[in-house]
Amino acid sequence: MKIVDGDKAECDRCESVYPLADVSLLEKETNRDYERVLCDDCLGIVGVPQGYSLRRDITHLAN
């Protein structure tokens, strides 16, 4: 996950930068080290595959 300017994150799929409130974190349930930040558009394309969970609120990661 790439945090930019302390309160923004880069989408791991389209590489655009969004405020933390506008992205979600896709995590693999069997490997907590695997996490991908996705914007709403990319999340709509990718969805939440079986075996993954989604955290919509990651604003607590802001510096």
Side-chain angles (χ1 to χ4, degrees):
M1 173 183 347
K2 296 178 189 172
I3 302 287
V4 181
D5 294 333
D7 63 345
K8 297 177 185 151
E10 182 178 313
C11 176
D12 286 318
R13 187 170 187 276
C14 69
E15 298 181 351
S16 297
V17 176
Y18 297 92
L20 286 176
D22 295 339
V23 295
S24 300
L25 189 64
L26 187 65
E27 297 175 310
K28 193 169 192 175
E29 292 174 354
T30 58
N31 181 1
R32 289 294 178 180
D33 291 331
Y34 180 93
E35 54 186 25
R36 297 292 180 257
V37 173
L38 295 173
C39 65
D40 287 338
D41 291 339
C42 290
L43 180 59
I45 294 168
V46 173
V48 182
Q50 186 174 355
Y52 290 79
S53 61
L54 185 69
R55 279 202 286 170
R56 290 199 179 267
D57 183 10
I58 60 170
T59 56
H60 66 279
L61 300 175
N63 294 334

